Amino acid sequence: SRAIAAKVALVPAGALLLLGLWTLTILLAVDLAIGTRRRETVDARARGLKLPPVPVVLLSMLLLVVAEVGGGAMVRFKVDLDRLHRAQVEDRPQVHRLVGVRQIDGDVVDELLSRADFAFRLFHLHAEGMALVIFVGSVMIRNGVRGGLTRAVLSTLLAVGGFFYPFGYLAWGWMIPILGLGASRDLVETFLWAPFGGAALVASGLLTLALDSDLFAGREGRGGS
């Protein structure tokens, strides 16, 4: 079933998504380079769209590159490392010819292997998603939210929270073999997922309210006129 799904949906749809993401990255880099060299001639407002602050854009692009390039490499490295540990466990001698240490530890290592690998793959997926959320959200903030302080606060919450949230999955994958599945998950949730994910959610919620209120005010203005 996985092979059929890969051929029918995962590979073609994923290839289109990656092509779109990297095309966006290249076009954005070119646009930023042109805007930096010729600020007096390149005016985003003349095109009807204000680009978000350069640091926010670079942060989202960095997260996307780390997710794309580093995510797969980290998963492969972690799986190979855990397989090496599993081989070392299975080389241990049996105890009293009855219950072998490898029969006990082998199942545990297999469980840790699958869970850690899953956590690293979650980082890969969530980092990609958060990179797009940061970029698209910052575009909406720059073009749809009034007030410099409000824009700055929303951009900061979205950029910082969205950037650091996915790294909780890396921390979780690294700590599973040390602290166990439940304890490592609780620790990461307390110090990474809750604060940074909460910041991204708060920014998204406030952005939604700001855009809704602006849209409502625009409709009211057109109705009154």
Side-chain angles (χ1 to χ4, degrees), residues 91-104:
D91 286 339
R92 296 177 183 176
Q94 292 187 346
V95 179
H96 303 304
R97 298 182 180 178
L98 295 175
V99 179
V101 175
R102 66 170 180 261
Q103 277 82 357
I104 299 176

Side-chain angles (χ1 to χ4, degrees), residues 14-34:
L16 290 176
L17 175 61
L18 293 178
L19 178 62
L21 292 177
W22 283 110
T23 302
L24 171 64
T25 304
I26 294 172
L27 292 177
L28 183 61
V30 172
D31 189 74
L32 288 175
I34 293 176

Side-chain angles (χ1 to χ4, degrees), residues 160-212:
V160 175
F163 184 84
F164 285 104
Y165 172 79
F167 287 93
Y169 291 99
L170 287 185
W172 185 29
W174 282 324
M175 288 191 297
I176 285 176
I178 301 173
L179 301 178
L181 184 63
S184 60
R185 182 178 55 199
D186 293 341
L187 189 63
V188 170
E189 184 173 6
T190 301
F191 291 99
L192 290 175
W193 288 335
F196 293 113
L201 288 177
V202 168
S204 301
L206 293 178
L207 172 60
T208 302
L209 293 176
L211 295 177
D212 287 343

Side-chain angles (χ1 to χ4, degrees), residues 65-78:
V65 170
V66 170
E68 284 294 323
V69 179
M74 285 184 286
V75 170
R76 183 175 181 84
F77 172 76
K78 185 64 169 61

Side-chain angles (χ1 to χ4, degrees), residues 73-215:
M74 285 184 286
V75 170
R76 183 175 181 84
F77 172 76
K78 185 64 169 61
V79 171
D80 291 341
L81 186 62
D82 284 340
R83 284 174 177 166
L84 176 62
H85 291 166
R86 196 204 190 302
Q88 293 175 349
V89 169
E90 290 195 341
D91 286 339
R92 296 177 183 176
Q94 292 187 346
V95 179
H96 303 304
R97 298 182 180 178
L98 295 175
V99 179
V101 175
R102 66 170 180 261
Q103 277 82 357
I104 299 176
D105 291 353
D107 294 337
V108 175
V109 174
D110 281 340
E111 180 68 16
L112 297 180
L113 170 64
S114 62
R115 297 290 184 176
D117 177 46
F118 181 65
F120 275 74
R121 292 183 186 277
L122 284 177
F123 162 77
H124 179 70
L125 296 176
H126 280 256
E128 282 185 345
M130 276 299 181
L132 295 179
V133 168
I134 293 172
F135 176 71
V136 175
S138 60
V139 171
M140 296 171 67
I141 291 171
R142 186 72 179 270
N143 291 273
V145 177
R146 300 176 182 178
L149 180 60
T150 304
R151 287 200 299 265
V153 171
L154 289 179
S155 298
T156 301
L157 289 174
L158 188 65
V160 175
F163 184 84
F164 285 104
Y165 172 79
F167 287 93
Y169 291 99
L170 287 185
W172 185 29
W174 282 324
M175 288 191 297
I176 285 176
I178 301 173
L179 301 178
L181 184 63
S184 60
R185 182 178 55 199
D186 293 341
L187 189 63
V188 170
E189 184 173 6
T190 301
F191 291 99
L192 290 175
W193 288 335
F196 293 113
L201 288 177
V202 168
S204 301
L206 293 178
L207 172 60
T208 302
L209 293 176
L211 295 177
D212 287 343
S213 62
D214 189 69
L215 179 62

